[in-house]
Amino acid sequence: MNRIPSYSRRALVRVLPSLVAGAFALALPLAAKAADVNLTYAFFAPAGTFPGKQMAHWAEQVAKRTNGKVAVKTFPAGTLLGAREMYDGVSKGVADIGLGAPSYDPGRFPLTSGLSLPLGFPNATVASRVLWEITKEFQPKEYENFKVIAMFTTEPGYIQSRKPAGSAAELAGMKLRAAGTGVPVLKALGAAPVGMPMPEVPQAVQTGVIDGTMTSREVLQDFKLAETLKYVTDYPTVVVTFAAVMDRKRWDALPADVKKVFDELGPEMAVWTGQYHDKQNVGGALEWAKKEHKLQVVPVSAQERAAWDAKLKPMEDEWVKEMTAKGLPAAKYLARARELRDQFMKQ
């Protein structure tokens, strides 16, 4: 029998612990590298909504493009800041980034509120690109204490109802839930707008408190409204704007390479979020509602459409007058919004 020499046995005893430790270390998963910059990102609605999907996608892209240098922890569903306190919370440092809806706070975001007028946006992608570009061009004073990180919109609101509403006669007196600039739109068209939180709408429809709603159409599936609301009027109205912001001082403290990544992501997020909302979110909901619940799209004749447009025009005139009195370039802003709308529609 071959025997290990005594000096070899002694050497083996000395190196064996190191060999075992090395093998064990190789078998362990690599420890995650700690981020240099840690940020919190707050939003008021659930993670499953399309703005919630946006914040998750943005956080993933930031981590990827900074090679893990920046870690973003998201707080959807009002777990860190609610809708009404979002922008004040960012200013006070409660969250590093806050995603809110300027449409619901026109006093704070007067110029941006112009994008929530019925301007004829065909979808969320076009409206989101317009919102980002026009904000970059006009640099509204309302954002002077913030760094705008991302901007996008819903698709235009559509009337979704128990009965067809393709004419002024059919729409007259119809009780429809609305929010923001959707309220004066419905009033102008002769309907009876009702204000209520979106989660209350399904029961309100079932019990006959309201006859439907006017909002973007993903709610047909998200809130199972297609079970009772069988008609969608083919007349786009107003969008809801969203803006994710950082406090300017917090932004100034970020490294230059991180700022570069955030700036590059800004216009990309307008396109990504708009397309996600239009295709997966709304497109999927409409396909499901038509297949599962026989949803019908109600056409609006050219004559009726022109009449409705004329009824909504005073909203714009009144807004321009009010904002001009405040020293804001209201008419120029809307003219540029339409130019950008037409430009992006062609693309």
Side-chain angles (χ1 to χ4, degrees), residues 325-342:
K326 293 180 178 181
L328 297 173
K332 186 178 179 182
Y333 184 85
L334 291 188
R336 182 58 176 151
R338 287 195 168 91
E339 287 178 0
L340 290 168
R341 176 202 66 192
D342 295 343

Side-chain angles (χ1 to χ4, degrees), residues 68-141:
K69 182 176 182 176
V70 180
V72 181
K73 186 172 183 180
T74 59
F75 291 86
T79 51
L80 187 57
L81 287 169
R84 294 183 181 180
E85 60 202 18
M86 188 61 65
Y87 294 118
D88 286 334
V90 169
S91 295
K92 294 174 183 176
V94 178
D96 296 308
I97 306 164
L99 175 59
S103 290
Y104 296 152
D105 197 355
R108 186 171 200 155
F109 301 99
L111 199 57
T112 305
S113 69
L115 266 290
S116 295
L117 292 166
L119 298 179
F121 291 120
N123 52 45
T125 304
V126 168
S128 296
R129 294 185 70 186
V130 171
L131 175 61
W132 176 265
E133 189 63 32
I134 203 167
T135 303
K136 187 175 72 172
E137 286 185 18
F138 279 74
Q139 294 290 312
K141 189 177 179 182

Side-chain angles (χ1 to χ4, degrees), residues 208-250:
V209 173
I210 58 175
D211 302 308
T213 184
M214 190 181 78
T215 186
S216 53
R217 296 166 293 179
E218 79 280 359
V219 299
L220 288 164
Q221 185 172 27
D222 288 352
F223 290 89
K224 302 296 185 286
L225 288 174
E227 296 175 5
T228 48
L229 303 180
K230 303 292 185 181
Y231 301 93
V232 171
T233 304
D234 187 20
Y235 185 78
T237 59
V238 294
V239 302
V240 174
T241 59
F242 289 88
V245 303
M246 288 187 77
D247 181 75
R248 179 63 64 175
K249 293 187 292 293
R250 184 72 178 97

Side-chain angles (χ1 to χ4, degrees), residues 159-161 171 174-178 186 191-194 211-213:
I159 294 168
Q160 301 157 51
S161 53
L171 190 56
M174 191 174 279
K175 294 177 291 184
L176 298 170
R177 181 264 180 188
L186 287 178
V194 179
D211 302 308
T213 184

Side-chain angles (χ1 to χ4, degrees), residues 26-66:
L26 289 172
L28 288 174
L30 291 174
K33 176 189 170 186
D36 294 334
V37 179
N38 291 279
L39 301 174
T40 54
Y41 188 175
F43 178 49
F44 57 84
T49 59
F50 85 95
K53 296 287 187 181
Q54 180 277 335
M55 68 191 298
H57 178 72
W58 184 85
E60 290 169 3
Q61 287 299 307
V62 166
K64 179 180 178 181
R65 298 186 190 195
T66 62

